[in-house]
Amino acid sequence: MMLACTPRAAPKVPAPRESPPPPTAVASEPEVAVVPARVPADPAELVEFDLSKLAFGRCRQDQPDEGPFVVGPEVEGWREGEPLWVMTNAGGAVRAAAGKSFEYCGAGLSAPEAVTSDESEETCVKAVAIVTEAPLRCDEALGAGAAAKYMVDGGPPLDFVFAFHRRHRPPTPVAMQFEVRVDAVCQDPDKDFDEPGAMIPVTDAAAPIDRSLFDKQIAALRKRRWRAVRVTLADGSEPLHVLHAVEHGRSVKSAQLSVVRELADGSGQALVARADRAWPDSFLLRDHQCGLPFSLPLPALAFMHADRLHWVTVEDVNAKIVGRVWEVGATLRRVAVLPIALTSPKW
């Protein structure tokens, strides 16, 4: 049976209303992404810092997207997630954790002070990636003063990182700032080296410290190329000057290191013992550095330990980068050599 359709009344159309004004935009707090903690808390029991526990590495690995890592005997026992202290000159001491481990290989890594490195005898050691809550602050290359525009890179690198287990109380970092001056001879990039005018002398302005000490040391070199680095310490102590100087010549295989404390009256106090003044240096690298020494120690980290200022220096020599610890007092005294070296891409 079919049902009849009952007609419906036409619906009433409501009177049009005025549109409400658009809502006023209200500034809201940006959402803060909650990042799970990747760095564990400090261990319950702490012991004093020990220089022999210091691991050594770079702020970046071979690839730009690969982060910091360290090597050293201590890292052999680190598991992923171990609580660490990490120190850089630019960033101070930062809480971190051990990340994944990997094999790090190069010639002579476990013999930092060996005079030569046999490239056929590759050494592989355990390396550990560093995990931090925020990116590490690291130094750029040292720079080259007036010679910078003639050089491909920015001078000796300083992007080094140092780490140790957080069971050790950290030393007090002392930030350093660097000012570089050079006296060099650079090749005009538009000329062959044997063309007239191809070699261009470049010199930064003199500093007061030159008259008191540097002039005497540099004058002893027949044909000199030198780099002077003024190191200003954040603790307000007297500035320190590092001088690298070398005679010009492809047969010259060593350069001279001086470290001078700048005293209040403008004079200088020499800190380097005679036995520590001569260091191996490569003319192959000097050719790309306007003749400037390349392989001599440079301070990469400073800290107070046992009431004394300590430096960790880096030197790029014999196809590897070697780290040394020095006590900076009335003299510059060698304390230790970090037992594992890093590979150098420059050689």
Side-chain angles (χ1 to χ4, degrees):
M1 182 176 68
M2 298 181 63
L3 297 176
C5 294
T6 308
R8 296 182 181 179
K12 294 181 179 180
V13 179
R17 298 180 185 176
E18 291 185 6
S19 299
T24 304
V26 178
S28 59
E29 292 291 328
E31 281 192 24
V32 178
V34 179
V35 180
R38 298 186 297 166
V39 175
D42 293 347
E45 296 185 11
L46 301 178
V47 298
E48 293 303 317
F49 175 65
D50 185 343
L51 288 168
S52 68
K53 307 300 182 184
L54 201 59
F56 171 42
R58 299 294 291 265
C59 287
R60 300 167 190 84
Q61 298 177 38
D62 292 338
Q63 301 301 321
D65 59 342
E66 295 176 334
F69 73 98
V70 291
V71 298
E74 286 302 301
V75 311
E76 295 290 339
W78 291 352
R79 300 185 303 272
E80 192 170 346
E82 295 265 13
L84 306 178
W85 281 108
V86 172
M87 293 195 298
T88 65
N89 178 58
V94 177
R95 286 177 171 84
K100 296 185 180 299
S101 62
F102 59 94
E103 207 171 50
Y104 181 76
C105 300
L109 298 185
S110 57
E113 293 193 285
V115 176
T116 60
S117 292
D118 186 350
E119 294 184 2
S120 63
E121 294 184 7
E122 189 171 72
T123 302
C124 292
V125 297
K126 178 181 176 180
V128 170
I130 298 297
V131 177
T132 56
E133 295 285 4
L136 277 180
R137 292 176 57 204
C138 297
D139 284 296
E140 299 298 327
L142 180 65
K149 63 181 180 180
Y150 297 103
M151 291 169 52
V152 175
D153 54 31
L158 287 175
D159 60 329
F160 296 97
V161 59
F162 304 87
F164 53 95
H165 199 283
R166 231 184 302 149
R167 70 171 66 94
H168 298 275
R169 294 185 180 91
T172 303
V174 180
M176 299 178 288
Q177 291 187 333
F178 308 101
E179 299 171 58
V180 184
R181 297 181 301 116
V182 304
D183 190 323
V185 176
C186 302
Q187 182 178 341
D188 186 331
D190 297 325
K191 295 183 178 181
D192 293 331
F193 74 94
D194 55 354
E195 286 186 56
M199 306 310 291
I200 305 169
V202 293
T203 307
D204 284 293
I209 196 75
D210 294 353
R211 293 191 298 274
S212 64
L213 193 67
F214 282 0
D215 280 353
K216 297 176 185 176
Q217 297 186 8
I218 293 169
L221 300 171
R222 294 190 303 276
K223 297 179 180 178
R224 79 274 195 276
R225 307 282 186 266
W226 55 260
R227 175 193 298 107
V229 184
R230 187 176 193 266
V231 182
T232 305
L233 300 160
D235 64 357
S237 57
E238 298 99 335
L240 296 168
H241 296 259
V242 180
L243 175 68
H244 295 166
V246 65
E247 292 182 22
H248 179 59
R250 297 176 70 85
S251 62
V252 176
K253 297 182 179 180
S254 66
Q256 178 180 319
L257 168 70
S258 299
V259 178
V260 178
R261 178 177 283 114
E262 181 182 322
L263 302 179
D265 62 1
S267 63
Q269 175 190 8
L271 304 186
V272 178
R274 185 176 298 276
D276 290 330
R277 291 178 190 169
W279 291 80
D281 195 64
S282 167
F283 75 84
L284 293 173
L285 295 182
R286 292 199 300 268
D287 277 354
H288 300 283
Q289 303 288 329
C290 293
L292 296 170
F294 189 85
S295 304
L296 280 70
L298 276 171
L301 184 72
F303 56 83
M304 294 297 297
H305 171 58
D307 296 325
R308 293 179 176 87
L309 178 65
H310 286 74
W311 263 0
V312 185
T313 63
V314 292
E315 64 202 66
D316 193 326
V317 63
N318 295 329
K320 54 197 172 188
I321 298 173
V322 179
R324 296 180 191 273
V325 184
W326 305 76
E327 184 182 296
V328 186
T331 61
L332 193 67
R333 185 175 71 87
R334 296 195 204 199
V335 175
V337 177
L338 300 186
I340 303 295
L342 301 173
T343 59
S344 171
K346 292 289 183 185
W347 293 71

